[in-house]
Amino acid sequence: MRIWTEPPAKTDVEAVVHRYFDLLRVGKLPEAEQLVDHTSLRHVLKALWTGSVGVDAGEGEASCRVAADAWEQDLSWLRELRLGDFNWGHAGGQFYVEISYLAQTIDVALGFWVKPVDAGWVVSGPSTLW
């Protein structure tokens, strides 16, 4: 996990999020989890799948539940996700990132924040925003 001894610049934080997302896209999940003070990766992946592949397939709730297990077996769908715009809050410590799937912005964004810890500051998250 990247720890800064003083509050990090937005560009440094965004670079960590880009690296995190790049690792997710190629299926290096443990490495991605190590970059940020992480929430449940399973929750994040399920939300991204539901907001992208699940919607794209036009599946109903019942079949979506059955197919939902498929995202855990085959992570190839992650390669089709892209980061969009970073949207920083006014205070500068919180932001969300838009996500696209097959060049279309999806209804799920990832929220991150910079938080103080004993050793300095870290990037925490992501939360899933619908």
Side-chain angles (χ1 to χ4, degrees):
M1 181 174 355
R2 175 69 195 267
I3 300 174
W4 291 272
T5 56
E6 55 188 55
K10 287 180 182 179
T11 54
D12 293 333
V13 172
E14 290 178 8
V16 168
V17 172
H18 276 285
R19 179 72 181 134
Y20 167 82
F21 202 74
D22 288 345
L23 289 168
L24 281 186
R25 290 185 58 240
V26 297
K28 294 185 177 182
L29 308 181
E31 293 92 333
E33 284 184 297
Q34 297 301 314
L35 284 180
V36 298
D37 180 32
H38 211 283
T39 56
S40 169
L41 183 59
R42 187 173 196 281
H43 169 78
V44 170
L45 293 176
K46 187 173 182 180
L48 289 172
W49 185 89
T50 301
S52 60
V53 180
V55 169
D56 192 54
E59 299 184 12
E61 187 176 324
S63 61
C64 194
R65 213 176 302 118
V66 171
D69 294 338
W71 67 260
E72 293 183 279
Q73 305 304 317
D74 178 8
L75 297 175
S76 63
W77 59 273
L78 286 169
R79 291 190 299 264
E80 300 300 331
L81 298 176
R82 300 288 184 270
L83 285 179
D85 293 334
F86 283 72
N87 299 280
W88 285 84
H90 296 293
Q94 299 177 0
F95 60 96
Y96 69 91
V97 184
E98 296 172 344
I99 309 294
S100 65
Y101 174 70
L102 299 175
Q104 297 293 318
T105 300
I106 64 174
D107 289 336
V108 179
L110 298 180
F112 294 88
W113 54 99
V114 177
K115 75 175 193 179
V117 294
D118 290 340
W121 284 264
V122 297
V123 176
S124 190
S127 61
T128 52
L129 309 171
W130 291 83

